[in-house]
Structure formats: C-alpha cells, structure tokens
Amino acid sequence: QVQLVESGGGLVQAGGSLRLSCAAPGRSLPRSIMGWFRQAPGTEREFLAAISWSDDTYYAASVKGRFTISRDNAKNTVYLQLNNLKPEDTAVYYCAAQSSRRQYDFWGQGTQVTVSS
C-alpha cells in the first residue's frame, strides 16, 4: 500500500500559476509511473499528465503546453506546474501511482484548485 499526499492547491486568478506537490510520507516514491488527474463537480476524473521513473512524460492534449509534470526522486516528490490557469481548470487535483499491475491503484486525497475569472 502506498499513501500519497497532495499539496499546493488554492485560489488563484485566471492567468496565474500554481505548483502542486505529491509525496509519499515516510517512504520513497514507487519506481513506477506517477500521474496527475483532476475532477470537477459533476464530471468524470480526467487524466492530465504522467511521468515514468526515467522521466518520460505524457500529457493530455487539453493541458499540454500549460501544465508540466516533473519528479524529484531525491525528495520523493512529484510536481505538477500549472500555468496560465483558466476558470475551467477549477477542480480537485489528484496524484496517483501505478502498481505492479500497471494500473493507478494508489491515490491521494486530492487538493482543491479554484481559478477565479
């Protein structure tokens, strides 16, 4: 079992930026793909970005160029840099880790991002 904790969410004006962090308290990050997702009220959870242990990155078309995923294995943290935020980016943002099944089996509790117009 892997516990993940997100932080860095908050209220920001449109056009602003935030950096979200995801850590695994008391342990190293899994040597697997880590991903970021978000879910707005009344919508399904949406994939945003993922990063492998070797720093290969993958992005949803909707955020490519605005969001950047990175990981610092020495700090046991995965980041999601959110730039040029829009009101429609308002959602709860989750990080997740793939298990040996290569599925996102481990999830954090989420951090709220609210973008005002």
Coordinates of all heavy atoms in Angstrom, one line a residue, residues 15 18 22 26 29 38 41 52 63-64 69 72:
G15 N -5.1 33.2 -15.4 CA -3.8 33.6 -15.8 C -2.6 33.3 -14.9 O -1.4 33.4 -15.2
L18 N 0.2 27.8 -10.3 CA 0.3 27.1 -9.0 C 1.2 25.9 -9.3 O 1.3 25.4 -10.4 CB -1.0 26.5 -8.5 CG -2.1 27.5 -7.9 CD1 -3.4 26.7 -7.7 CD2 -1.5 28.0 -6.6
C22 N 3.2 16.2 -4.7 CA 2.7 14.9 -4.3 C 3.8 14.1 -3.7 O 4.8 13.9 -4.3 CB 2.1 14.1 -5.5 SG 1.6 12.4 -5.1
G26 N 7.2 9.1 4.5 CA 7.8 8.1 5.2 C 8.4 7.0 4.3 O 8.9 6.0 4.8
L29 N 9.1 7.3 -3.3 CA 8.1 7.1 -4.3 C 8.2 5.8 -5.0 O 9.3 5.3 -5.2 CB 8.2 8.2 -5.4 CG 7.7 9.6 -5.0 CD1 8.0 10.6 -6.1 CD2 6.3 9.7 -4.6
R38 N -7.6 15.2 -12.5 CA -8.5 16.1 -11.8 C -9.9 15.8 -12.0 O -10.3 15.0 -12.9 CB -8.2 17.6 -12.3 CG -8.7 17.8 -13.7 CD -8.3 19.2 -14.2 NE -8.7 19.4 -15.6 CZ -8.3 20.5 -16.3 NH1 -7.6 21.4 -15.8 NH2 -8.7 20.6 -17.6
P41 N -16.8 19.1 -10.2 CA -18.1 18.6 -9.8 C -19.0 18.2 -11.0 O -19.0 18.9 -12.0 CB -18.7 19.8 -9.1 CG -17.5 20.6 -8.6 CD -16.5 20.4 -9.6
S52 N 7.3 8.8 -15.9 CA 7.9 7.5 -15.5 C 9.1 7.7 -14.6 O 9.5 8.8 -14.4 CB 8.4 6.7 -16.8 OG 9.5 7.4 -17.3
V63 N -4.1 20.0 -21.8 CA -3.2 20.7 -20.9 C -1.8 20.8 -21.4 O -0.9 21.5 -20.8 CB -3.2 20.1 -19.4 CG1 -4.6 20.1 -18.9 CG2 -2.6 18.7 -19.4
K64 N -1.4 20.2 -22.4 CA -0.1 20.2 -23.0 C 0.3 21.6 -23.3 O -0.5 22.3 -24.0 CB 0.1 19.3 -24.2 CG 1.5 19.0 -24.6 CD 1.5 17.9 -25.6 CE 3.0 17.6 -26.0 NZ 3.1 16.5 -27.0
I69 N 4.7 18.3 -15.7 CA 4.9 17.3 -14.7 C 6.4 17.0 -14.5 O 7.1 17.0 -15.5 CB 4.2 16.0 -14.9 CG1 4.2 15.0 -13.7 CG2 4.7 15.2 -16.2 CD1 3.2 13.8 -13.9
D72 N 11.2 14.6 -8.5 CA 12.4 14.7 -7.8 C 12.5 13.5 -6.9 O 12.0 13.5 -5.8 CB 12.5 16.0 -7.0 CG 13.9 16.2 -6.4 OD1 14.6 15.2 -6.2 OD2 14.3 17.4 -6.2

